[in-house]
Amino acid sequence: MDTEGVQEVAGLLKDLPAERGQLLPALWRVVEHYHALTPALIGAVSEVLGVAYAEVYGVASFYTLFDNIEGTTPVHICTDVMCALQGAEELKAWAEQAAAGLPITVKESACLGQCDHAPAAWIGQKILRRATPQVVQEAVKAVHHG
Ligand code: FES
């Protein structure tokens, strides 16, 4: 990432102390802002927080919700127990169909904390509760168009 890009990330994280303990909030902000966590963004976070790239990468790749090093827009479909019982696999298939040919990666997610409203999905900035195939397909297309 060029100097300008690193400065943009620095602006995004300006109120966070530059320390390892701020990795999770920093990564959340970057993902929310860029809808991706590319190697370049990981490098920028590393530089801004003064934490080794390998360590930032390790945290980013450990948490599946951050795991987006391919740089596509992630669509998370919860496939944990409650959502599995409410048709998560079918929902995932519908999401994959809607995402076909788009720079979107449909991922299985662990529990999104919405068990009472299963099945759940996290698309763009929104958590979808009691998600239906139609709602998921519309959300996938909307996240692509911004
Ligand atoms: S199991 Fe899907 S939100 Fe909890």
Side-chain angles (χ1 to χ4, degrees):
M1 182 167 267
D2 60 15
T3 307
E4 208 170 278
V6 172
Q7 284 176 346
E8 189 177 301
V9 171
L12 199 62
L13 308 179
K14 67 176 183 260
D15 61 322
L16 293 179
E19 58 187 43
R20 187 189 184 287
Q22 299 301 322
L23 263 179
L24 283 176
L27 291 171
W28 271 117
R29 280 193 197 176
V30 169
V31 168
E32 281 180 6
H33 186 79
Y34 295 99
H35 304 288
L37 199 51
T38 63
L41 287 167
I42 290 173
V45 171
S46 164
E47 202 168 314
V48 171
L49 291 187
V51 177
Y53 181 95
E55 201 164 349
V56 180
Y57 179 88
V59 170
S61 58
F62 178 79
Y63 292 97
T64 55
L65 294 177
F66 291 143
D67 186 11
N68 186 31
I69 57 173
E70 58 275 87
T72 58
T73 301
V75 163
H76 301 275
I77 307 291
C78 175
T79 53
D80 226 324
V81 179
M82 291 307 291
C83 290
L85 290 172
Q86 298 295 323
E89 283 301 323
E90 184 190 355
L91 211 55
K92 185 172 165 254
W94 281 101
E96 286 169 342
Q97 186 184 65
L102 300 175
I104 290 173
T105 304
V106 178
K107 299 174 176 243
E108 292 186 8
S109 164
C111 180
L112 293 170
Q114 306 296 324
C115 306
D116 290 351
H117 309 284
W122 180 27
I123 302 176
Q125 304 296 311
K126 291 185 191 152
I127 290 280
L128 303 178
R129 302 172 175 148
R130 297 189 206 288
T132 63
Q134 183 184 0
V135 166
V136 164
Q137 286 199 315
E138 285 170 7
V140 168
K141 288 175 183 159
V143 80
H144 172 63
H145 295 299

